[in-house]
Amino acid sequence: MADLGTIADELVARQGHLSLQYGAGQGTPELRDAVCSVMAADGIAGADPEHVVITPGSQAAIDTAARMLGNPGDVVVVEDPTFVGALNTFNTWELDAVSTPTDEEGLIPALLHTTLQQLRAAGRRVAFLYTIPSYANPSGALMPAERREEVARICREEDVLIVEDNAYGQLGFEDGPVAPIAAAHRDQVIYLGTVSKIFSPGVRIGWALVPPALLREFYLSAESAFVCPPVFSQMLSTAFLTRFDWQAHVARCAAEYALRCDALVDEMEQSLDPRVTWTRPAGGFFVWSRMPDGLDTLPLMHAAAEAGVVFVPGGAFTPDAGPHPHFRLAFSFVAPEALREGVRRLAPVLNGALPGNP
Amino acid sequence: MADLGTIADELVARQGHLSLQYGAGQGTPELRDAVCSVMAADGIAGADPEHVVITPGSQAAIDTAARMLGNPGDVVVVEDPTFVGALNTFNTWELDAVSTPTDEEGLIPALLHTTLQQLRAAGRRVAFLYTIPSYANPSGALMPAERREEVARICREEDVLIVEDNAYGQLGFEDGPVAPIAAAHRDQVIYLGTVSKIFSPGVRIGWALVPPALLREFYLSAESAFVCPPVFSQMLSTAFLTRFDWQAHVARCAAEYALRCDALVDEMEQSLDPRVTWTRPAGGFFVWSRMPDGLDTLPLMHAAAEAGVVFVPGGAFTPDAGPHPHFRLAFSFVAPEALREGVRRLAPVLNGALPGNP
């Protein structure tokens, strides 16, 4: 923080004529270069900075994709469950989010294929598939390389563009990143990255790697929404990615997140009724958990809040009607002992909602 | 810049846990307080910070208004000419921009009334009126207080919401701000402000003062597009507005802009054929100029660029079909002598396009 502060001083005091001024709508060349090195670490070799568009956070890139690709009434195919922020954006564009099932390894290719075929048979236009293959929000699922290939093949056959959101790919607890779908299928994927999980969410810097044929339209759509991304934020992010050992920093973060995940899961094992289940993630921020079928976690959220702990109920992560037995626990921001205390507060609420418990 | 740099250092080194972290979607309470003091200086007394939503630049607030208020095919009534960035946003939302005439004092109330009546008779739904009453982009027009009242009255009668964009209101060369329409008509106006013209465009900080009945929807629409505005940018903007004499700074800027405008117009008087005409603005950034009827300035833009000077052709500022004899000259960013040189480069292009000139 101290070193970054000194850089912030320089960026304003000596380069204020740049950092406080309008910048290019596509983002600064320096940051577009720097994020190509991040993508290289993610497994996308040789990305061209000319095909990168910087956005004020990854959410703005999701929004830009919807703006550009969707017409009202079109379908966006999403994972069940998927990121609530994406669902909100699709909703404002009057896009119809249609979910397709996932398991612990993310999208199930055969069922995705069925979903796309059914939509085609029903005459629906599919604007794109929105997927989070690595340590997904909220499921934590990591899609293996073979499935990624399968998904790319199916989408190519069905002529469906992919919007691949890779906010968490570098946050594996033990293993390195699995190459994004975009790595080998550049022309059929709008790939979204962000510094939110490797540097800072408050600077609001994300980016899209866009197929050349779509680049101009993407860039103009983005500009129509926000003119240009914040310039100081871009310059500070560039400094972080070029003047610090950011990969060592991310590795330290991932190691800490692994400890936090361990603490959370350990306490869940000790305190929760065995009928409460979850998937232990291999990276990312979330433990995706569930109550038995038929229970809905929305009312339990209110009871939990009264007990001094919050979670996000499963209904937030799907366009489908409930009841939703799932719930999302987030461990990234909270120290291990606080996570344990959170579970201890949660336990009477969850356990008490189960049939037969007092 | 040096003082701001020191503050930037503090904000990152000592308050990085805040400035680099996610912030509230509505914006920080401190900045929402501070922009209420800016609005007070603009003539809006007693704005409630709870009714303010901070956005990543004013463009994002225009986009949020369109997102929230418009359905595809709805009409947005705009001034002819109006801000090109707003037209671009309305276009992505499939809103139909319908222009209504202006003169040197902005919107012409009787003609606005006619436009609204015609739209109603045609069964069109009007999402809102978009207007820039003070030193408009591109026209430079300043709407007098009585016209503002008239516009508010007409819109109330016709049940049309107003989106009032006040980016330039503090930049009068001689006179203080004219009170915004929102000052006396809070419930029928979404008022948009920005620090872009009084502090920094690169931080990307704008805001909306929203009628209470629309606040929740506006805030959620904004959040669906960008989660939260950049936090460091908000904190630096707050520092500028609370730790510096920002009104003295703006007065110095306006005085400099007045000198630049004088230089530009003086050289235009000397170098341009009398058939090239313009409106001398009383504030803001632009001299709205025109060639004789029938000429289109788009091809002249290319010729001017070859001569080493650029302007924006009038067609950019209207949804209507051409030819467009107008063009916009911007003087804010360019020193007086460079402005004179620009006009000298422009003169042969413009003069040479006039009938009878060599």
Side-chain angles (χ1 to χ4, degrees):
Chain A
M1 293 285 196
D3 293 345
L4 269 177
T6 304
I7 290 170
D9 184 355
E10 283 171 29
L11 290 178
V12 172
R14 292 195 223 157
Q15 300 190 67
H17 61 291
L18 297 175
S19 68
L20 301 180
Q21 186 50 273
Y22 286 114
Q26 196 175 348
T28 68
E30 295 79 11
L31 181 56
R32 288 190 279 116
D33 275 347
V35 304
C36 285
S37 70
V38 176
M39 288 191 279
D42 273 314
I44 301 177
D48 184 343
E50 289 302 313
H51 300 159
V52 172
V53 179
I54 308 292
T55 56
S58 194
Q59 179 81 17
I62 301 172
D63 189 67
T64 300
R67 181 184 301 263
M68 167 189 169
L69 297 168
N71 288 313
D74 285 355
V75 167
V76 177
V77 175
V78 298
E79 291 154 350
D80 182 12
T82 191
F83 173 45
V84 56
L87 289 177
N88 289 342
T89 297
F90 301 151
N91 186 46
T92 67
W93 289 102
E94 300 182 26
L95 298 172
D96 191 4
V98 170
S99 69
T100 186
T102 63
D103 60 19
E104 294 186 13
E105 297 188 334
L107 281 173
I108 301 167
L111 298 182
L112 169 66
H113 205 170
T114 305
T115 300
L116 294 178
Q117 286 170 325
Q118 286 170 344
L119 287 165
R120 182 156 45 82
R124 303 296 301 273
R125 180 175 178 272
V126 176
F128 54 88
L129 165 69
Y130 173 75
T131 177
I132 312 171
S134 291
Y135 314 122
N137 180 355
S139 72
L142 177 67
M143 195 189 295
E146 315 77 60
R147 276 210 189 179
R148 295 180 188 218
E149 282 307 302
E150 191 76 346
V151 166
R153 189 187 57 71
I154 291 164
C155 286
R156 188 182 295 271
E157 270 178 36
E158 293 288 331
D159 199 21
V160 167
L161 197 72
I162 299 171
V163 174
E164 179 177 28
D165 188 346
N166 191 26
Y168 305 95
Q170 309 235 355
L171 296 179
F173 299 152
E174 299 193 347
D175 298 320
V178 178
I181 301 171
H185 306 280
R186 206 74 61 85
D187 62 327
Q188 63 180 109
V189 179
I190 295 178
Y191 173 88
L192 309 185
T194 177
V195 303
S196 288
K197 275 73 183 179
I198 61 175
F199 168 43
S200 154
V203 293
R204 308 309 301 136
I205 292 296
W207 70 88
L209 177 67
V210 184
L214 302 175
L215 184 67
R216 182 181 152 80
E217 185 70 20
F218 193 94
Y219 160 83
L220 291 174
S221 294
E223 206 176 51
S224 82
F226 51 76
V227 184
C228 70
V231 182
F232 174 90
S233 289
Q234 294 183 75
M235 294 174 82
L236 196 69
S237 299
T238 303
F240 175 76
L241 295 172
T242 58
R243 294 164 69 172
F244 293 82
D245 185 350
W246 68 269
Q247 290 185 278
H249 171 74
V250 172
R252 278 194 302 275
C253 292
E256 175 64 26
Y257 295 148
L259 289 179
R260 293 178 178 197
C261 181
D262 284 348
L264 176 62
V265 170
D266 183 64
E267 189 65 40
M268 292 171 78
E269 284 167 355
Q270 291 182 43
S271 299
L272 298 182
D273 186 295
R275 287 171 284 176
V276 184
T277 58
W278 56 86
T279 306
R280 186 181 195 121
F285 281 10
F286 308 110
V287 174
W288 185 234
S289 314
R290 66 173 291 163
M291 300 288 280
D293 277 343
L295 274 167
D296 193 90
T297 49
L298 180 58
L300 298 179
M301 177 187 73
H302 299 295
E306 289 201 11
V309 62
V310 288
F311 60 79
V312 183
F317 302 101
T318 172
D320 303 333
H324 299 290
H326 285 91
F327 58 102
R328 189 192 78 173
L329 299 180
F331 54 79
S332 61
F333 193 64
V334 185
E337 197 38 53
L339 288 164
R340 290 185 182 273
E341 171 62 20
V343 175
R344 287 192 290 266
R345 293 181 188 178
L346 196 54
V349 175
L350 298 182
N351 296 345
L354 293 169
N357 282 353
Chain B
M1 291 285 197
D3 293 344
L4 269 177
T6 304
I7 290 170
D9 184 355
E10 283 171 28
L11 291 178
V12 172
R14 291 194 224 158
Q15 299 191 69
H17 61 291
L18 297 175
S19 68
L20 303 178
Q21 186 51 270
Y22 285 113
Q26 196 176 347
T28 67
E30 294 80 9
L31 182 56
R32 288 190 279 116
D33 275 347
V35 304
C36 285
S37 70
V38 176
M39 289 190 280
D42 273 315
I44 300 177
D48 184 343
E50 290 301 314
H51 300 159
V52 171
V53 178
I54 306 293
T55 57
S58 194
Q59 179 81 17
I62 300 172
D63 189 67
T64 300
R67 182 183 300 261
M68 168 188 167
L69 296 169
N71 288 313
D74 285 354
V75 168
V76 176
V77 175
V78 299
E79 290 154 351
D80 182 12
T82 191
F83 173 44
V84 57
L87 290 176
N88 289 341
T89 296
F90 302 151
N91 186 45
T92 69
W93 288 102
E94 300 182 25
L95 298 173
D96 192 4
V98 170
S99 68
T100 187
T102 62
D103 60 20
E104 295 186 15
E105 298 189 332
L107 282 172
I108 302 167
L111 298 182
L112 169 65
H113 205 170
T114 304
T115 299
L116 294 178
Q117 286 169 325
Q118 285 170 345
L119 288 165
R120 182 156 47 80
R124 303 296 301 273
R125 181 177 178 273
V126 177
F128 54 89
L129 165 70
Y130 173 75
T131 177
I132 312 171
S134 290
Y135 315 122
N137 180 354
S139 73
L142 176 67
M143 196 189 296
E146 315 77 61
R147 276 211 190 178
R148 296 180 189 219
E149 282 307 302
E150 191 76 346
V151 165
R153 188 188 57 73
I154 291 164
C155 286
R156 188 181 294 272
E157 268 178 36
E158 293 288 331
D159 198 22
V160 167
L161 198 72
I162 298 171
V163 174
E164 178 177 28
D165 188 346
N166 191 26
Y168 305 95
Q170 308 235 355
L171 296 179
F173 299 152
E174 299 194 346
D175 298 320
V178 178
I181 300 171
H185 305 279
R186 205 75 61 84
D187 62 327
Q188 63 180 110
V189 179
I190 294 178
Y191 172 87
L192 310 184
T194 176
V195 303
S196 288
K197 275 72 183 179
I198 60 175
F199 169 42
S200 155
V203 294
R204 308 308 303 132
I205 294 294
W207 70 87
L209 177 67
V210 184
L214 301 175
L215 184 67
R216 182 182 154 79
E217 185 70 20
F218 192 94
Y219 159 83
L220 291 175
S221 294
E223 205 176 49
S224 83
F226 51 76
V227 184
C228 70
V231 181
F232 174 89
S233 289
Q234 294 183 75
M235 293 173 82
L236 196 70
S237 299
T238 304
F240 175 77
L241 295 172
T242 58
R243 294 163 69 172
F244 293 82
D245 185 350
W246 68 269
Q247 290 185 277
H249 172 74
V250 172
R252 279 193 301 274
C253 292
E256 176 62 27
Y257 296 147
L259 289 179
R260 293 177 178 197
C261 182
D262 284 348
L264 176 63
V265 169
D266 183 64
E267 189 65 40
M268 291 171 78
E269 285 167 353
Q270 292 182 43
S271 299
L272 298 181
D273 187 294
R275 287 171 286 176
V276 185
T277 56
W278 56 87
T279 307
R280 186 182 195 122
F285 282 10
F286 308 111
V287 174
W288 186 235
S289 314
R290 66 173 292 161
M291 300 287 280
D293 277 343
L295 273 167
D296 192 89
T297 48
L298 179 59
L300 298 178
M301 177 187 71
H302 299 295
E306 290 200 11
V309 63
V310 288
F311 60 78
V312 184
F317 302 101
T318 172
D320 303 334
H324 299 289
H326 284 92
F327 57 104
R328 189 192 78 172
L329 299 180
F331 54 79
S332 60
F333 194 64
V334 185
E337 196 38 52
L339 286 164
R340 290 183 181 274
E341 171 62 20
V343 175
R344 287 192 289 265
R345 293 180 188 179
L346 196 54
V349 174
L350 298 182
N351 295 346
L354 293 170
N357 282 353

